[in-house]
């Protein structure tokens, strides 16, 4: 068999090689607890019900907003990581964020 196989031949036929496992997303790998994910979705609900742009100044909210932005649920201007006493601005809820709200029962 010629062409597009990625395996090698043996006496019994073609041996398929497993593809390399993908690297986990750094944001997902950095998460510590499922509770943080739940809290991020609570923040998403809060954002969906508020008028935008919305300013957040709590470090915990900024970290949750970073998770939502990295997931593609919101458009936001975030301060650099580790910046003391900075605030973040939520600009918009994306179509993916609206779909997530419907999926998780928030909208």
């Amino acid at each position: 068999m010629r062409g597009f196989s990625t395996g090698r031949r043996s006496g019994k036929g073609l041996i398929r090689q497993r593809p390399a496992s993908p690297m986990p997303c750094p944001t997902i790998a950095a998460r510590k607890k499922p509770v943080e994910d739940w809290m991020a979705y609570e923040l998403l609900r809060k954002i969906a019900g508020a008028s935008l742009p919305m300013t957040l100044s709590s470090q915990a909210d900024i970290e949750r907003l970073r998770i939502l932005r990295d997931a593609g649920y919101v458009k936001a201007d975030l301060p650099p990581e580790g910046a003391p006493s900075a605030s973040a601005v939520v600009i918009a809820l994306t179509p993916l964020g609206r779909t997530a709200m419907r999926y998780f029962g928030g909208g």
Side-chain angles (χ1 to χ4, degrees), residues 9-88:
R9 284 216 173 265
S10 73
K12 297 180 182 178
L14 185 66
I15 299 173
R16 297 264 178 209
Q17 295 176 349
R18 296 179 111 186
S21 62
M23 293 294 292
C25 174
T27 304
I28 293 171
R31 293 186 189 151
K32 296 177 182 86
K33 302 177 204 166
V35 173
E36 291 176 7
D37 292 342
W38 175 75
M39 295 300 290
Y41 287 114
E42 287 299 313
L43 179 60
L44 184 62
R45 282 193 186 106
K46 183 178 170 184
I47 292 168
S51 61
L52 298 176
M54 176 180 174
T55 303
L56 300 171
S57 57
S58 163
Q59 276 305 115
D61 283 345
I62 291 172
E63 289 308 311
R64 292 178 191 125
L65 184 60
R66 198 175 303 279
I67 292 170
L68 294 174
R69 196 251 346 241
D70 291 347
Y73 293 161
V74 297
K75 290 184 181 179
D77 288 331
L78 294 167
E81 285 198 45
S85 67
S87 60

